[in-house]
């Protein structure tokens, strides 16, 4: 079976100017032997040859890499759509360069209002991030804020809503998993997770997309009997190695940047990206998925063929295996509402 690579998430550098307590990448210092400019440009060309539609550049803090514009501009020249995810604590002089790239989107991480955001990300980070966000918006860039929910900022969601509403800024809400620097005790409970789903569903019902464009990320639950779809798109199972690929700053290639490094498929210095992607034995956890791989949370579920066990990142870091995601609306409704027949 042929697999069409559509989206790449590319960690340009692991270097970061913040030390966020929920950082799954444990970012700070750059990786040893990060790709050179020439190597990165060659990767862009190979991605174009594979027909990639979109590259999302992130970090670390992607704008700390000096050649970020050159790499992103190369993608633009090949007709590849670009996106950026930043902590916003960055020199606003880069905005003019961003405008030249005409990106599909620029996302800034906002994890609460000032007191809570700064507690998670560092002193003065909120003011810097908001200043960068609004400056980008004033320059006509399509802006999104990303909120990563854990126990420290769960109650901040209504406050963020009040701040963002009517500003023509999109909002993506996602769930923090216990990897990198995040301690397991800060991960939201199943009840809290379901409450986040209820909150997103309520926002989407109460406000138009013009007033408040909001979505739940791919980790925000599946196949509820009561909640309307709140994800980016209707869930069809983990896309890692199916149409999505992650690239680390040292050239390590993996199905998704949110799964453990033990699932790295190869390094681009030793094996070309086309060879990695077209390897019949690569990404076997998804490409060769079958019912026997389901964990106990998903065994016997009537949606298993569609869902394939939910988000593999959350699944692995919560249960130490793929296809076993406990954060599933359908599962939680059966468990807490005692609806054994649904």
């Amino acid at each position: 079976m042929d697999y069409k690579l559509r989206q790449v998430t590319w960690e340009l550098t692991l270097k970061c100017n913040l030390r966020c307590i929920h950082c799954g990448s444990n970012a700070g210092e750059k990786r040893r032997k990060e790709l050179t400019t020439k190597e990165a440009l060659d990767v862009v060309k190979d991605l174009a040859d594979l027909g990639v539609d979109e590259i999302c550049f992130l970090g670390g803090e992607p704008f700390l890499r000096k050649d970020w514009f050159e790499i992103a501009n190369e993608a633009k020249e090949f007709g590849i759509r670009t996106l950026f995810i930043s902590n916003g604590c960055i020199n606003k002089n880069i905005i003019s360069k961003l405008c030249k790239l005409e990106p599909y989107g620029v996302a800034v991480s906002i994890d609460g209002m000032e007191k809570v955001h700064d507690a998670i990300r560092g002193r003065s980070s909120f003011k810097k991030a908001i200043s960068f966000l609004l400056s980008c918006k004033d320059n006509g860039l399509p802006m999104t804020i990303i909120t990563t929910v854990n126990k420290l900022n769960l109650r901040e969601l209504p406050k963020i809503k009040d701040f963002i509403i009517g500003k023509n800024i999109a909002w993506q809400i996602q769930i923090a998993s216990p990897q990198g620097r995040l301690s397991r005790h800060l991960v939201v409970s199943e009840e809290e997770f379901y409450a986040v789903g209820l909150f997103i569903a309520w926002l989407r019902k109460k406000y138009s997309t013009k007033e408040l464009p909001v979505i739940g990320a791919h980790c925000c639950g599946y196949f509820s009997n009561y909640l309307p779809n709140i994800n980016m798109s209707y869930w069809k199972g983990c896309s890692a190695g199916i149409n999505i690929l992650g690239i680390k700053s040292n050239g390590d290639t993996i199905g998704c940047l949110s799964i453990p490094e033990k699932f790295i498929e190869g390094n681009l210095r030793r094996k070309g990206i086309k060879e990695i992607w077209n390897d019949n034995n690569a990404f076997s956890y998804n490409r060769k998925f079958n019912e026997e791989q389901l964990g106990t949370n998903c065994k016997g579920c009537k949606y298993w063929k569609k869902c394939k066990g939910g988000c593999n990142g959350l699944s692995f870091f919560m249960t130490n295996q793929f296809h076993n995601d406990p954060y599933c609306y359908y599962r939680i409704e059966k468990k807490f509402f005692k609806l054994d027949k649904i």
Side-chain angles (χ1 to χ4, degrees):
M1 181 176 180
D2 292 329
Y3 295 93
K4 173 70 170 76
L5 179 56
R6 298 192 178 281
Q7 184 185 61
V8 171
T9 52
W10 189 340
E11 174 201 274
L12 280 180
T13 180
L14 196 60
K15 185 176 181 180
C16 191
N17 48 358
L18 300 182
R19 298 294 183 275
C20 307
I21 63 175
H22 66 312
C23 180
S25 302
N26 200 15
E29 301 301 320
K30 70 178 186 179
R31 295 185 190 275
R32 292 182 63 251
K33 298 182 179 180
E34 294 193 332
L35 295 176
T36 65
T37 302
K38 182 184 182 306
E39 288 172 327
L41 295 177
D42 288 342
V43 171
V44 172
K45 183 181 184 304
D46 287 341
L47 293 176
D49 289 343
L50 281 169
V52 168
D53 299 320
E54 178 179 291
I55 300 176
C56 178
F57 294 106
L58 64 163
E61 172 49 54
F63 298 127
L64 291 181
R65 179 164 173 142
K66 293 180 181 179
D67 57 0
W68 71 267
F69 177 80
E70 187 175 353
I71 297 168
N73 190 60
E74 184 78 350
K76 181 189 176 186
E77 291 297 313
F78 277 109
I80 301 173
R81 193 165 64 173
T82 59
L83 298 92
F84 297 87
I85 299 178
S86 171
N87 61 39
C89 297
I90 202 73
N91 193 318
K92 288 189 284 187
N93 291 336
I94 71 165
I95 294 175
S96 60
K97 290 184 176 180
L98 273 173
C99 290
K100 291 178 182 177
L101 292 171
E102 301 176 299
Y104 179 69
V106 179
V108 176
S109 298
I110 301 293
D111 289 313
M113 301 313 291
E114 186 170 4
K115 182 178 180 180
V116 173
H117 180 95
D118 284 2
I120 292 172
R121 291 183 170 266
R123 180 180 293 182
S124 300
S125 59
F126 178 81
K127 289 180 178 178
K128 291 176 182 177
I130 294 298
S131 178
F132 180 76
L133 171 75
L134 296 180
S135 294
C136 285
K137 181 177 176 294
D138 289 344
N139 280 272
L141 291 166
M143 301 304 297
T144 297
I145 69 168
I146 297 177
T147 302
T148 303
V149 181
N150 58 67
K151 285 183 180 292
L152 295 176
N153 65 350
L154 179 64
R155 295 179 183 273
E156 293 292 291
L157 294 178
K159 299 175 187 177
I160 298 174
K161 181 267 293 183
D162 291 340
F163 174 79
I164 196 176
I165 192 165
K167 289 186 170 66
N168 193 31
I169 297 172
W171 190 11
Q172 176 180 311
I173 298 174
Q174 58 193 34
I175 304 300
S177 65
Q179 57 178 306
R181 284 197 286 268
L182 184 70
S183 299
R184 183 174 286 265
H185 76 277
L186 292 179
V187 178
V188 294
S189 66
E190 292 177 0
E191 295 94 331
E192 290 167 333
F193 170 79
Y194 197 82
V196 173
L198 286 169
F199 178 73
I200 299 172
W202 171 73
L203 291 179
R204 289 168 67 94
K205 182 176 178 62
K206 183 176 178 62
Y207 301 105
S208 68
T209 53
K210 185 175 181 180
E211 292 174 293
L212 184 62
V214 57
I215 57 170
H218 60 268
C219 53
C220 280
Y222 321 100
F223 301 102
S224 170
N225 283 271
Y226 307 105
L227 303 180
N229 180 61
I230 61 171
N231 298 116
M232 301 173 182
S233 59
Y234 283 96
W235 181 253
K236 298 177 182 177
C238 175
S239 296
I242 304 296
N243 50 46
I244 289 177
L245 185 69
I247 300 174
K248 295 180 183 287
S249 56
N250 63 355
D252 284 342
T253 304
I254 193 167
C256 171
L257 292 178
S258 296
I259 63 176
E261 292 193 346
K262 67 188 267 186
F263 295 101
I264 288 170
E265 302 289 345
N267 186 278
L268 297 179
R269 289 191 172 107
R270 296 186 289 274
K271 202 174 185 182
I273 199 161
K274 296 178 188 176
E275 185 182 356
I276 291 173
W277 184 257
N278 293 320
D279 185 341
N280 290 330
N281 295 314
F283 315 103
S284 59
Y285 51 88
N286 271 347
R287 292 185 180 180
K288 298 182 180 181
F289 168 77
N290 59 63
E291 188 176 6
E292 295 302 312
Q293 293 174 265
L294 294 171
T296 55
N297 288 323
C298 304
K299 285 282 188 188
C301 177
K302 65 181 181 179
Y303 293 114
W304 75 268
K305 287 184 180 180
K306 294 180 181 179
C307 185
K308 300 176 183 176
C311 170
N312 274 332
L314 264 176
S315 177
F316 195 91
F317 286 106
M318 292 302 297
T319 70
N320 203 37
Q321 70 177 103
F322 285 156
H323 313 295
N324 193 41
D325 186 355
Y327 290 109
C328 163
Y329 297 142
Y330 178 69
R331 174 184 172 274
I332 291 171
E333 287 165 358
K334 287 184 68 176
K335 177 179 178 180
F336 290 106
F337 301 163
K338 306 300 182 183
L339 301 178
D340 295 330
K341 295 182 181 180
I342 64 173

